[in-house]
Structure formats: C-alpha cells, structure tokens
Amino acid sequence: MSWFCMLLLLLIVFLVEVGAECGHNGPSIRFPFGLKHDRNHIAYHGFELSCNDTHTVLELPIPSIKFFVTDIDYKAQVIKVYDPDNCLLRKLLKIRNLSSNSPFRFAQDNLSNYTLFNCSREGEGETSLYYQSIPCLSGPGYQIYVAQPNSAIDELPIDCTKLNNTSLLPYEGYDIYDTKYDHNLRLKWLEPACGHCEAKGKRCRPKNNTTMFEIDCFHFHPKGEKKKYVAVGKLSY
Ligand SMILES: *[C@@H]1O[C@H](CO)[C@@H](O)[C@H](O)[C@H]1NC(C)=O
Ligand SMILES: *[C@@H]1O[C@H](CO)[C@@H](O)[C@H](O)[C@H]1NC(C)=O
Ligand SMILES: *[C@@H]1O[C@H](CO)[C@@H](O)[C@H](O)[C@H]1NC(C)=O
Ligand SMILES: *[C@@H]1O[C@H](CO)[C@@H](O)[C@H](O)[C@H]1NC(C)=O
Ligand SMILES: *[C@@H]1O[C@H](CO)[C@@H](O)[C@H](O)[C@H]1NC(C)=O
Ligand SMILES: *[C@@H]1O[C@H](CO)[C@@H](O)[C@H](O)[C@H]1NC(C)=O
Ligand SMILES: *[C@@H]1O[C@H](CO)[C@@H](O)[C@H](O)[C@H]1NC(C)=O
Ligand SMILES: *[C@@H]1O[C@H](CO)[C@@H](O)[C@H](O)[C@H]1NC(C)=O
Ligand SMILES: CC(=O)N[C@H]1CO[C@H](CO)[C@@H](O)[C@@H]1O
C-alpha cells in the first residue's frame, strides 16, 4: 500500500471515529446524528443537527421547532435539549404528535393531558400545586396558566376560561414548565438502536452508506497511532 493510500485511509478513519461538534464544549456529534451539509458526518434520516455559533441545534420538522442541544447520551439513546427562546411550553404545544414526523419520543413515558387557562391579570404570578403561570405565553391584560391534568377550573385563582387546548406532555411534576426548568426536556430515540453498541465502547455506522437501514458495530480506539492502524486494517479489507 502506498503512503498516499495509507494517509487517505487514516484520514477516513479519523473522520469516522472523531465525530464533529459545534464549539469546543458542544456534545460530540456522531452517528446516528450528523451535521447538515457535512458529507463527512452524514446523519440518519431525522438526525440532522446544525451549528448556530457554538450551539448545537436540533430541528424538529412540521412545524419547524428548533431546540439547542446540551447533551447526547449515545448509550441511553437520549438527547437533552432546551428552548433558546425560553418558552418551552409554547414549543411543546406546537407539537401535535411527536412520533408522526420525527424519530424522537418524550424520554419520560408518563404523559399527561395538560390544560391551558386564560385568566385575568389579577393574582399575577400566583402558583399552587395545581397550576403554574406561564409568563412567556401571557400578554397585556391576561395571564396564561398551565394546569395539572384533570384540574377543575375552580382550583384556579380568579376569573379564568379554559382554552380549547389539552396537550399530552411529559408529566414531571407541577412546576416543570416554568422557564427555570427549560434544560430538562429529554427526548429519546429507538431506531437506530446503537445504544448496546456504544455501551460496549464501540461505535455505530451504517452498513451501506446509500440506504442506512442496517447498522454496523465496530471497534473504536479513541487515541493512539498504533490502534488507528488496527482500525485501518479493518476498514480496508
Ligand atoms: C441562532 O440562535 C439565535 C437564538 O435563538 C437566533 O436568534 C438566531 O436567529 C439563530 N441564528 C441562525 C442563523 O439560525
Ligand atoms: C401519532 O403518529 C403515529 C405515527 O404516525 C401514529 O401511529 C399515532 O397513532 C399518532 N398518535 C396520535 C395520538 O395521533
Ligand atoms: C403519572 O402522571 C399522573 C398524572 O397524570 C400522576 O398522578 C402519576 O403519579 C404519574 N405516575 C408516575 C409513575 O410518575
Ligand atoms: C388526553 O386527552 C385526549 C383527548 O381528550 C384523550 O383521547 C386521551 O385519552 C387523553 N390521554 C391521557 C393519557 O389522559
Ligand atoms: C386571553 O383573554 C384575553 C382577554 O379576554 C384575550 O385578549 C386574549 O387574546 C386571550 N388569550 C388567549 C391566548 O386566548
Ligand atoms: C375545540 O377544538 C376541536 C378540534 O380541535 C373542535 O372540533 C371544537 O369545535 C373546538 N371547540 C371549541 C369550543 O372551540
Ligand atoms: C446498498 O443498498 C442499495 C439499495 O438498497 C443496494 O443496491 C446496494 O447493493 C447496497 N450495497 C451494499 C454494499 O450492500
Ligand atoms: C459509500 O459511498 C462511496 C461514495 O459515494 C462509495 O464509493 C462506496 O462504495 C460506498 N460504500 C458502501 C459500503 O456503500
Ligand atoms: C383555542 C386555542 O387556544 N387554541 C390553540 C391551541 O394550541 C395551538 C398551538 O399552540 C394554537 O395554535 C391554538 O390557537
């Protein structure tokens, strides 16, 4: 094998194994995730990420909703996101059916029907076990509250009307949709199932780079020239 071929293969191995990231502290981006417009890090369908400055962006399609990614747990197959606009609930309300057009599900299995109420401005900022005001959904003269599943209107502070809107959202306790919990949205994916592979310290890649239906679990050697040569041997058969 010529030195040129050797170098080329080393470069390929390097790109496959190293993955990408947005900024120095961003989560490592590797299969099934990939970067839009980056042919070296091709994503599984629905797993395209992009960089906004140093932030890693996950975009859910139809309607387009953008989250910033804080962490990707490749073993648990969970991605942790938050809303850069600090109004997580507004984004969640737009998602009619997460599973119909995205590979992601709420990581939390216990979903509940949350209800929104539109209340007069008095009693502003009041919260209780049953309801939580959502300042980012409220406007001049009115305050939007999110109420616990099955809450009755008479549990709310004052003068409220129930909005014709219930949403199946992860049940995480009454105050989860306060903005200070915005870092808490966790989404999981089931396919491609690379978690078992990652748990063994290996890495996942598509068997066939045109279809990506099948995945291949391969040995991953994080550091060391010598070990990289082992990987080269594997790739070049
Ligand atoms: C980057 O994110 C910020 C904050 O959400 C947003 O205002 C801006 O438009 C984004 N830039 C691009 C190019 O998407
Ligand atoms: C959501 O979409 C999935 C896939 O299209 C479908 O199987 C499921 O029934 C839908 N759920 C609801 C509540 O519409
Ligand atoms: C699931 O959510 C309901 C509220 O809808 C709550 O009463 C119940 O305790 C939750 N279950 C678990 C296991 O968290
Ligand atoms: C949520 O509400 C919808 C429509 O009212 C109902 O069909 C569904 O069973 C409810 N789901 C839960 C978990 O309460
Ligand atoms: C809430 O009620 C106020 C006054 O009745 C109204 O102006 C406002 O549009 C309502 N907001 C929503 C989101 O329904
Ligand atoms: C509530 O929404 C449903 C469908 O989204 C609609 O069929 C129904 O007429 C609405 N009810 C009211 C009171 O607006
Ligand atoms: C990749 O998939 C395409 C389309 O299914 C098929 O034609 C091709 O033979 C596959 N290549 C390999 C190497 O399996
Ligand atoms: C992957 O794609 C490259 C370039 O498109 C092609 O040369 C190679 O044969 C493909 N490999 C497989 C396993 O399909
Ligand atoms: C009656 C009502 O408030 N409907 C709203 C339900 O939620 C969707 C998505 O946020 C809004 O577009 C509707 O206006």
Side-chain angles (χ1 to χ4, degrees):
M1 200 186 310
S2 79
W3 280 109
F4 178 73
C5 283
M6 194 67 110
L7 275 175
L8 200 66
L9 279 168
L10 266 177
L11 185 66
I12 291 168
V13 170
F14 182 75
L15 288 172
V16 166
E17 293 196 348
V18 162
E21 57 191 35
C22 304
H24 290 304
N25 298 316
S28 166
I29 298 169
R30 56 179 189 262
F31 191 81
F33 291 93
L35 277 175
K36 250 185 206 169
H37 314 304
D38 183 346
R39 291 185 64 242
N40 293 321
H41 300 99
I42 295 172
Y44 199 85
H45 180 64
F47 288 82
E48 292 86 5
L49 300 175
S50 56
C51 296
N52 175 338
D53 194 12
T54 58
H55 298 288
T56 311
V57 181
L58 172 69
E59 185 173 353
L60 300 181
I62 330 171
S64 160
I65 298 173
K66 285 182 180 169
F67 291 115
F68 280 1
V69 180
T70 50
D71 186 45
I72 304 174
D73 185 336
Y74 287 91
K75 289 178 195 163
Q77 298 182 192
V78 168
I79 182 169
K80 221 189 269 179
V81 300
Y82 70 99
D83 177 15
D85 302 320
N86 282 312
C87 196
L88 182 62
L89 192 59
R90 173 163 43 214
K91 298 215 167 160
L92 293 181
L93 290 172
K94 285 188 189 155
I95 302 173
R96 279 279 121 89
N97 184 352
L98 191 55
S99 51
S100 65
N101 51 35
S102 146
F104 300 102
R105 312 274 174 279
F106 292 118
Q108 159 80 268
D109 285 325
N110 193 8
L111 302 183
S112 287
N113 278 321
Y114 283 86
T115 313
L116 294 186
F117 289 88
N118 186 352
C119 306
S120 77
R121 201 77 206 186
E122 295 157 57
E124 183 174 347
E126 264 191 70
T127 51
S128 85
L129 217 52
Y130 302 106
Y131 50 82
Q132 170 88 31
S133 77
I134 309 292
C136 65
L137 291 180
S138 306
Y142 68 96
Q143 186 91 5
I144 300 296
Y145 284 82
V146 61
Q148 272 292 285
N150 312 317
S151 292
I153 199 163
D154 54 14
E155 283 161 349
L156 281 147
I158 14 88
D159 214 10
C160 297
T161 50
K162 187 175 182 169
L163 293 179
N164 186 15
N165 249 341
T166 62
S167 283
L168 260 189
L169 300 175
Y171 178 80
E172 310 227 26
Y174 77 97
D175 56 2
I176 189 63
Y177 296 110
D178 193 357
T179 50
K180 67 177 184 258
Y181 289 94
D182 264 1
H183 285 70
N184 275 7
L185 185 66
R186 292 178 310 120
L187 302 171
K188 69 181 174 190
W189 71 92
L190 305 176
E191 290 287 338
C194 288
H196 62 282
C197 177
E198 292 268 348
K200 284 185 226 154
K202 297 182 181 181
R203 289 288 156 85
C204 219
R205 68 187 161 201
K207 249 184 195 161
N208 180 338
N209 59 9
T210 54
T211 59
M212 292 201 174
F213 284 136
E214 279 181 282
I215 52 170
D216 185 22
C217 193
F218 68 101
H219 283 287
F220 165 65
H221 302 290
K223 297 235 156 60
E225 241 11 58
K226 206 176 159 196
K227 286 175 178 173
K228 267 185 192 155
Y229 278 103
V230 176
V232 165
K234 278 201 174 276
L235 260 193
S236 56
Y237 58 70

